Amino acid sequence: MTATSEHTRTDDVCPFDRPDVPLDVCPLTTSAVLRRAATTVPDLEAVVCGDDRVTYAELERRVADSTAVLERLGIRPGDHVALCVGNGPRWVELFYAITGIGAVVVAVNTRYRSSDLAHVLNDSQATYLITAPQILSSDFLSTLRIIGPDPESALPHPELPHLERIVVLDDDQSADFEGSWERWSQFVAGATGTDEVSVPRTASSFVPVSPTSTSLIQYTSGTTSRPKGVLLTHQGMCADAHFSAVRMGLRAGDRFHSVRPFFHVAGSTLSVLSSAQSMATLVTMERFVAGPALEVLEKERCTHFSGNDTIALMLLDHPDRSHRDLVLRGAWVAASAAVIRRVADELGAAEVVAGYGQSEASPNVAQSAWYEPAEVRLSAAMLPQPGVDVRIWDHEAHVPAMLGTKGEIQVRGWNVMTGYLNNPQATKNACTEDGWLRTGDLGTMDEGGRLVFVGRLKEMFRVGGENVSPVEIEEVLLLHPAVRQAVVVGVPDPRLIEVPFAFVSLAQGGSLDEDQLALWMRERVAGFKIPKFIHFVEDFEELGMTASSKIQRGGLGCHAKSIMDDRAGL
């Protein structure tokens, strides 16, 4: 079945969320997004990170100043500019400046070490790298030295043949280097001959950028292969940000807390651009830690937050949560129905919505909406974004799947990437000839065209003759009052091919053993879905998560096998 967005409420509830709404209902380039917000709500805080507070008018001025520096550096439309900066106003400022002149941001994961960093810089053919000298506890300049170029090396370097300039943000003058690595401050002074950039500029004086121009090269997380560069457009990101904000219920003056890394599309599109499209304040942090995040949610009087299941559960189960005076109204959460219901009930975010997407789709594909009945939103059933087609594909029959049956989620529309950079074969593998993106995700669709995410096709395993999605088992485990978080993987079995192995962390004060949990599961799921092995852990951070707070199932599979070997005395 193929579905496009439709909803049960009248159009006057949300006139910008109809299936046939044109994309130009919102600004479709990053400069236009910022210009509208700075003109409409100039004195509203745009970005808050710790003590750094920037209004929309100030942000536009900073972007104009940075644009002058970028042009002084020689950056021109179409250039690929690698950006390695942590969450905060500086990343936002540089993102708008780079994309505003028609150049392309190469979003660098700040957790990258030498191997991945070299791959991204070379694969993206970035000619410029703009980096902070240090990001949290990581000395990023030392990572560069491991690759090959040091401050005394001439650029391009044999290990980085495309990179022409390395520019270090040295506002506090802490970076200790000389040579071919250049300081941002020297170009600030050079732009006007003073220590301040004072060239009067506005967004209207930027080089005109087409909505279909590439704005971002987003490297996939690479948990199953080398990261691939996803080519995203201004239109795809800006429209996706707008429709996501509309369905979340973000309004002018709201305060939106998001710790999603800005180098990921959940940060750049669904946090930075969604906030500006709705003229809300983006409250962020350099890194996510549950206790301090709850403190910020309270102190900043945040009305909404963004998170996945891991982030939501860490907030829900933190001992400080019950002591915090939160005023949350809504949230965007990519999680199971069980977690979404807890967000509504325990965090007070009654208008919480579910979201599904991936980097190749800018990223949002489908989302529920704040104005829909609670029983719909809390079930994690989502409608495609306006103008986006979604179908469930039966690979065995090579036809669209029947209603309610599982198959691959496939997507077609304005939000789909233009391809993978320098990788036509991967692009061909990911997209059908008639434009459908093969997501590699498993889902179902009901008669109303609502999508339910079931899990990753690659994460499916086969118990005897039955296909099992780990998400199905995890959702049941999470219903147990003593369980805080659960992740299931398939492990080899000589008789059944594979069996479920569950990693489980308990809620504070929870007490449970393997036999008790297995007995509890026996009353709720088919026998082949009951984990044969259950391993209790304190938390999942020690087992490995990506920078976007996703649990790395591949690593857990290896860890599970090691535990099984230990138990067997091997």
Side-chain angles (χ1 to χ4, degrees):
M1 177 177 178
T2 303
T4 55
S5 178
E6 58 184 53
H7 53 75
T8 57
R9 300 292 291 269
T10 58
D11 286 345
D12 59 355
V13 170
C14 193
F16 300 138
D17 190 17
R18 301 188 310 271
D20 59 345
V21 67
L23 290 186
D24 61 7
V25 72
C26 64
L28 292 178
T29 64
T30 58
S31 290
V33 171
L34 178 59
R35 179 91 278 265
R36 183 180 67 165
T39 301
T40 308
V41 288
D43 298 325
L44 182 73
E45 288 178 331
V47 186
V48 173
C49 184
D51 295 330
D52 202 352
R53 297 173 179 272
V54 182
T55 67
Y56 275 105
E58 173 66 9
L59 177 60
E60 186 179 43
R61 188 194 70 78
R62 288 193 188 187
V63 170
D65 289 351
S66 290
T67 299
V69 176
L70 297 179
E71 292 178 343
R72 176 82 176 179
L73 279 164
I75 296 174
R76 296 293 181 262
D79 285 343
H80 293 181
V81 183
L83 181 60
C84 189
V85 181
N87 277 22
R90 196 60 180 276
W91 192 99
V92 177
E93 163 196 331
L94 289 167
F95 170 75
Y96 279 120
I98 294 166
T99 57
I101 63 174
V104 180
V105 169
V106 178
V108 177
N109 186 323
T110 59
R111 289 188 178 182
Y112 277 165
R113 292 300 177 259
S114 56
S115 176
D116 279 333
L117 178 61
H119 168 72
V120 165
L121 291 175
N122 285 326
D123 185 74
S124 68
Q125 299 179 357
T127 50
Y128 295 80
L129 168 64
I130 299 175
T131 180
Q134 186 162 326
I135 301 167
L136 295 175
S137 59
S138 174
D139 182 347
F140 202 76
L141 300 187
S142 294
T143 302
L144 273 174
R145 291 185 177 97
I146 293 172
I147 297 173
D150 57 47
E152 302 306 320
S153 301
L155 294 175
H157 185 276
E159 297 298 322
L160 299 171
H162 304 286
L163 195 62
E164 298 174 3
R165 303 185 92 156
I166 296 173
V167 182
V168 181
L169 300 170
D170 62 330
D171 300 338
D172 60 2
Q173 299 295 318
S174 62
D176 182 19
F177 62 87
E178 299 294 340
S180 62
W181 296 3
E182 300 168 283
R183 297 178 182 273
W184 179 266
S185 60
Q186 74 189 67
F187 294 95
V188 172
T192 60
T194 68
D195 289 337
E196 296 291 334
V197 174
S198 58
V199 179
R201 302 174 66 84
T202 65
S204 61
S205 65
F206 295 173
V207 174
V209 176
S210 166
T212 58
S213 298
T214 301
S215 55
L216 185 78
I217 300 174
Q218 175 66 63
Y219 276 84
T220 56
S221 58
T223 56
T224 58
S225 63
R226 266 297 203 187
K228 298 188 291 291
V230 178
L231 296 168
L232 300 179
T233 66
H234 283 258
Q235 172 180 280
M237 295 181 71
C238 293
D240 206 70
H242 166 78
F243 290 123
S244 177
V246 166
R247 289 191 176 177
M248 198 194 320
L250 271 183
R251 301 156 196 163
D254 280 343
R255 299 179 71 80
F256 179 32
H257 183 271
S258 178
V259 294
R260 312 304 290 276
F262 291 173
F263 58 72
H264 192 275
V265 281
S268 57
T269 297
L270 300 184
S271 301
V272 173
L273 287 171
S274 281
S275 298
Q277 286 282 36
S278 56
M279 289 171 278
T281 297
L282 175 60
V283 181
T284 191
M285 302 167 68
E286 290 185 334
R287 56 179 279 182
F288 174 70
V289 181
L294 286 164
E295 181 180 1
V296 171
L297 284 167
E298 177 184 48
K299 177 184 175 183
E300 296 294 338
R301 313 312 287 161
C302 294
T303 59
H304 296 74
F305 83 92
S306 171
N308 57 14
D309 48 3
T310 305
I311 290 171
L313 286 167
M314 290 175 74
L315 291 174
L316 284 162
D317 296 323
H318 195 276
D320 288 352
R321 193 257 302 167
S322 60
H323 307 301
R324 292 297 177 186
D325 177 24
L326 304 182
V327 293
L328 290 169
R329 188 175 80 240
W332 182 100
V333 183
S336 67
V339 174
I340 291 170
R341 184 172 292 277
R342 287 191 65 193
V343 169
D345 293 344
E346 299 174 37
L347 292 180
E351 296 176 0
V352 59
V353 299
Y356 161 74
Q358 61 177 213
S359 298
E360 289 86 344
S362 298
N364 242 19
V365 170
Q367 193 172 318
S368 51
W370 68 271
Y371 50 77
E372 293 178 310
E375 61 269 20
V376 172
R377 286 186 293 102
L378 299 183
S379 71
M382 303 162 282
L383 287 171
Q385 297 286 39
V388 172
D389 296 328
V390 176
R391 71 182 182 186
I392 305 300
W393 190 254
D394 184 334
H395 280 290
E396 292 185 3
H398 303 289
V399 295
M402 299 291 289
L403 282 176
T405 61
K406 298 172 190 173
E408 184 185 29
I409 300 169
Q410 297 189 349
V411 185
R412 183 173 65 183
W414 50 262
N415 61 335
V416 173
M417 67 175 181
T418 57
Y420 293 114
L421 179 68
N422 301 326
N423 203 331
Q425 186 58 51
T427 302
K428 183 178 180 180
N429 294 341
C431 299
T432 67
E433 291 184 0
D434 53 348
W436 289 95
L437 171 67
R438 302 180 178 104
T439 66
D441 290 335
L442 192 68
T444 64
M445 188 171 286
D446 64 20
E447 63 278 2
R450 294 182 182 276
L451 173 71
V452 174
F453 170 73
V454 175
R456 292 283 298 170
L457 277 171
K458 291 181 179 179
E459 292 166 359
M460 294 281 289
F461 53 89
R462 195 168 182 82
V463 181
E466 301 285 350
N467 289 325
V468 176
S469 166
V471 174
E472 292 179 281
I473 303 175
E474 291 162 4
E475 287 185 351
V476 178
L477 287 167
L478 288 171
L479 294 175
H480 194 292
V483 173
R484 180 182 67 178
Q485 195 165 3
V487 178
V488 174
V489 295
V491 293
D493 183 83
R495 185 173 65 89
L496 297 172
I497 304 175
E498 290 179 292
V499 291
F501 186 116
F503 291 87
V504 174
S505 66
L506 297 179
Q508 187 177 26
S511 177
L512 201 61
D513 63 29
E514 291 184 45
D515 292 338
Q516 290 171 328
L517 185 53
L519 182 63
W520 183 87
M521 289 285 289
R522 197 177 307 280
E523 299 174 355
R524 290 163 175 80
V525 298
F528 63 86
K529 294 184 181 180
I530 298 172
K532 184 173 181 179
F533 304 96
I534 299 173
H535 180 70
F536 292 98
V537 297
E538 286 294 323
D539 58 57
F540 284 89
E541 288 193 70
E542 64 187 64
L543 298 178
M545 292 196 296
T546 67
S548 51
S549 298
K550 295 179 182 177
I551 294 167
Q552 296 176 306
R553 291 181 187 269
L556 287 185
C558 296
H559 192 54
K561 188 176 184 307
S562 175
I563 293 169
M564 290 167 57
D565 290 344
D566 287 344
R567 291 185 180 186
L570 300 178

